[in-house]
């Protein structure tokens, strides 16, 4: 019997039909004996058939319909969210298989629903979520929405989403948003929203249209991630990158943004003259205080007429958009003069400030460079205010500098930077006792001899000056083997400030140039910064060199510093020597220098001895050495 129930249900039904159908057939003869007449026979046979059908339906109901009804009932229960009930099992027939399949499907659906609930919980925990109808009215909002906005469900549900729209957001952005989602596309962007109390918050938002089974929009869902903190941090960093930390003014980055993001403005650069002296003498701390106080005065005098920036170092910038040239020039000229009228009070010290200003009205891409050219030109011409103009010819000057920088680079690589040696003559004996090494560039044709007048500025601007000094110095050291005379080499404060170069110079002097090298320091460059220079001179003398102060009588001449520097020679500037016979003031200065030198054991050298008359003058004044074209021109070898 168990084996029979384990047959497939369709086989069981077929067997049941055959069995029930056979009952009337088998009972037919038996019924003939019970009811001989035809009517009774028919009635009895009908009863048997009916009884068979009842039996068939009873068996079929128990075997099939009842369990199918249990499955259908469980489907209904699951649809209504209720727990399903056990389904009667009859072994492993098709109904049992269907039941098992239903239970597995129910388990999978339950698991997926659980996962979906967890996903929704994760979404709600980390994002601001709302749903809205086709008109944008809020139909659902999660807790984070209420926390972020300050609204209650009663205040938000049924309201349009512009409830949180911030007035800073332009109308075109929302027009674009609606056009996108109504086209059944997803819209993504960053929006500034408004809270109930008027504060703002920034969201990274994604809005999706939800489609029904007919592919029509049923509703919209908006998922927002609050990025206010990130946005504020980014804005703070952006502001920091555009702000000068010392003065609080806009910095160079901000200035460049303003120049390129707007119509080309009028630009003025204002530079504090000789500010490096304040830094060198008082230190950078005091220098910073001077810059702060200067910026305060600049802001007061500017009175917010123009946008103000600290461009770099001690250089400030002012720009004006949509302004006429003449009023701007007049305003900057007046401002520049006013900055110098009263000293700056910094602590207990007062600093008299002079400025140089350059104004420019060029296109944006050349505005800054043109203004800087104007500043440099003004300083060179000793003017405190200048307006850039192509008529100044500054572009040609800079083109020429670039050309010479390129020629210098090539000459250094090809070994065409060499020293030429000019004799220094003892005015008493007439003997050549020393030489000064002067830098020369040999032309590409190896015939032209080029003075440093043409390439020295280019060397400094192109940062090849230190290489130039080292090249000449090393060539001089090599030349010592060819002569017994002393050789002078020019050094600038820039050379001394380079630790690597100054160490190399002292090392070579100690090894190969003891008592043979005179180091000439250019006094006109501001030798009053004597502490570092004095240390170098001490080390140079210990290495076996002598020291001369070059071009004395110009620039920042200071007799007390000469004593502190412990120099051996004073080279009197040629601008004084060449007018000895015609300028009493120049003669008086030279006499003072010579008298000071004799009193303090310093030897003197006169530069620019161009003729017999000047030679006689320097002899009469007691100047020990002379140098100039009259006494000897520079040559490629000492004694040539």
């Amino acid at each position: 019997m168990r084996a029979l129930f384990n047959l497939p249900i369709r086989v069981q039904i077929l067997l049941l039909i055959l069995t029930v159908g056979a009952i009337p057939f088998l009972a037919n003869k038996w019924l003939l004996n019970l009811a001989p007449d035809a009517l009774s026979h028919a009635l009895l046979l009908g009863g048997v058939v009916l009884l068979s059908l009842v039996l068939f339906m009873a068996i079929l109901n128990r075997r099939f319909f009842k369990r199918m009804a249990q499955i259908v009932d469980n489907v209904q229960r699951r649809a209504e969210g209720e727990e399903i009930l056990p389904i009667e099992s009859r072994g492993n027939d098709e109904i049992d298989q269907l039941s098992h399949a239903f239970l597995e499907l129910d388990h999978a659906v339950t698991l997926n629903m659980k996962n979906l609930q967890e996903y929704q919980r994760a979404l709600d925990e980390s994002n601001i979520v709302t749903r809205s109808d086709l008109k944008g009215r809020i139909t659902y909002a999660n807790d984070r929405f209420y926390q972020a906005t300050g609204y209650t469900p009663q205040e938000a549900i049924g309201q349009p989403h512009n409830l949180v729209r911030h007035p800073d957001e332009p109308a075109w952005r929302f027009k674009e948003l609606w056009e996108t989602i109504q086209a059944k596309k997803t819209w993504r962007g960053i929006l500034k929203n408004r809270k109930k109390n008027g504060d703002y918050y920034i969201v990274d938002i994604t809005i999706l249209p939800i489609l029904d089974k007919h592919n029509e929009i049923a509703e919209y869902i908006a998922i927002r991630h609050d990025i206010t903190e990130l946005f504020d941090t980014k804005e703070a960093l952006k502001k920091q990158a555009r702000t000068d930390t010392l003065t609080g003014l806009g910095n160079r980055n901000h200035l460049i943004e303003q120049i390129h993001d707007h119509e080309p403005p009028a630009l003025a650069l204002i530079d504090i003259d000789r500010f490096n002296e304040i830094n060198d003498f008082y230190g950078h701390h005091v220098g910073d205080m001077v810059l702060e106080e200067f910026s305060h005065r600049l802001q007061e005098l500017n009175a917010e007429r123009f946008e103000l920036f600290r461009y770099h170092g001690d250089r400030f910038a002012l720009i004006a958009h949509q302004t006429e040239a003449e009023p701007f020039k007049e305003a900057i000229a007046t401002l520049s003069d006013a900055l110098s009228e009263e000293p700056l009070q910094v602590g207990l010290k007062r600093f008299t400030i002079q400025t140089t200003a350059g104004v420019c009205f060029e296109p944006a891409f050349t505005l800054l460079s043109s203004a800087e050219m104007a500043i440099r030109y003004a300083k060179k011409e000793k003017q405190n205010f200048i307006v850039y103009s192509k008529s100044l010819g500054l572009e040609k000057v800079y083109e020429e500098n670039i050309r010479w920088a390129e020629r210098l680079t090539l000459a250094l690589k090809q070994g065409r930077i060499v020293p030429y040696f000019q004799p220094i003559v003892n005015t008493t004996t007439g003997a050549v006792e020393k030489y000064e090494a002067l830098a020369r560039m040999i032309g590409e044709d190896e015939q032209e001899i080029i003075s440093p007048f043409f390439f020295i500025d280019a060397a400094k601007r192109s940062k090849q000056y230190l290489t130039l000094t080292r090249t000449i110095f090393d060539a001089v050291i090599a030349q010592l083997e060819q002569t017994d005379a002393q050789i002078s080499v020019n050094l600038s404060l820039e050379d001394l400030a380079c630790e690597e170069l100054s160490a190399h110079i002292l090392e070579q002097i100690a090894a190969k140039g003891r008592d043979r090298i005179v180091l000439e320091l250019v006094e006109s460059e501001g030798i009053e910064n004597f502490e570092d220079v004095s240390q170098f001179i001490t080390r140079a003398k210990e290495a076996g060199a002598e020291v001369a102060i070059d071009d004395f009588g110009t620039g920042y001449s200071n007799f007390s510093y000469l004593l502190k520097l412990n120099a051996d020679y004073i080279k009197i500037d040629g601008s004084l020597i060449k007018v000895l016979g015609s300028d009493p003031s120049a003669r008086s200065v030279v006499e003072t220098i010579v008298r000071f030198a004799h009193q303090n054991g310093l030897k003197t050298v006169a530069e620019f001895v161009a003729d017999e008359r000047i030679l006689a003058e320097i002899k009469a004044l007691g100047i020990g050495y002379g140098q100039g074209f009259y006494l000897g021109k520079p040559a490629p070898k000492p004694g040539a």
Side-chain angles (χ1 to χ4, degrees), residues 313-325:
D314 59 320
R315 188 164 293 178
F316 294 77
L318 298 96
I319 62 173
H321 299 282
Q322 300 178 341
T323 185
E324 296 294 328

Side-chain angles (χ1 to χ4, degrees), residues 477-490:
I477 291 294
Q479 194 64 45
L480 291 176
E481 297 179 359
Q482 309 300 321
T483 180
D484 293 331
Q486 275 188 324
I487 299 179
S488 297
V489 181
N490 287 286

Side-chain angles (χ1 to χ4, degrees), residues 37-207:
D37 59 284
L39 179 59
S40 300
H41 179 268
L43 290 173
L44 287 172
L45 183 59
V48 170
V49 170
L50 182 59
L51 181 62
S52 299
L53 288 174
V54 171
L55 177 63
F56 172 77
M57 292 303 297
I59 296 172
L60 191 61
N61 178 62
R62 183 171 182 182
R63 298 292 299 157
F64 180 72
F65 293 117
K66 182 179 180 181
R67 289 187 290 157
M68 284 298 294
Q70 290 176 335
I71 294 175
V72 172
D73 182 59
N74 276 334
V75 171
Q76 184 67 30
R77 293 177 67 84
R78 177 54 70 197
E80 295 174 357
E82 299 178 9
E83 291 293 326
I84 63 173
L85 299 174
I87 299 173
E88 182 181 344
S89 176
R90 292 287 182 177
N92 192 29
D93 58 21
E94 282 89 339
I95 302 300
D96 286 319
Q97 293 174 8
L98 179 61
S99 175
H100 291 320
F102 170 75
L103 292 174
E104 289 178 359
L105 178 61
D106 179 73
H107 176 72
V109 170
T110 302
L111 182 61
N112 286 336
M113 289 297 295
K114 178 65 175 175
N115 289 339
L116 286 173
Q117 290 171 356
E118 289 299 308
Y119 295 154
Q120 181 177 355
R121 188 172 67 85
L123 189 66
D124 283 340
E125 286 292 327
S126 59
N127 295 279
I128 301 168
V129 181
T130 58
R131 297 204 305 267
S132 61
D133 61 20
L134 300 187
K135 293 184 178 180
R137 292 182 295 239
I138 300 171
T139 58
Y140 165 82
N142 68 349
D143 290 341
R144 287 184 65 85
F145 174 84
Y146 300 119
Q147 293 168 6
T149 65
Y151 288 105
T152 65
Q154 293 76 18
E155 294 170 322
I157 300 300
Q159 295 298 318
H161 260 103
N162 61 17
L163 180 72
V164 294
R165 177 175 172 176
H166 199 283
D168 288 352
E169 289 290 355
W172 62 262
R173 188 183 298 276
F174 295 98
K175 182 176 182 294
E176 175 195 79
L177 183 158
W178 274 104
E179 288 176 352
T180 301
I181 61 177
Q182 286 177 340
K184 303 177 183 178
K185 298 177 182 178
T186 300
W187 188 88
R188 295 181 179 86
I190 293 176
L191 290 178
K192 186 176 187 179
N193 284 172
R194 180 179 59 185
K195 299 182 180 182
K196 181 180 178 180
N197 64 5
D199 291 345
Y200 74 88
Y201 64 104
I202 309 297
V203 292
D204 185 349
I205 182 171
T206 300
I207 304 177

Side-chain angles (χ1 to χ4, degrees), residues 523-551:
E523 190 272 338
S524 62
E525 291 195 0
I527 205 169
E528 73 268 20
N529 306 315
F530 61 89
E531 291 185 5
D532 292 340
V533 179
S534 179
Q535 291 178 11
F536 176 82
I537 289 175
T538 299
R539 293 166 60 199
K541 289 196 165 191
E542 289 173 354
E546 290 189 304
V547 175
I549 303 301
D550 198 11
D551 296 332

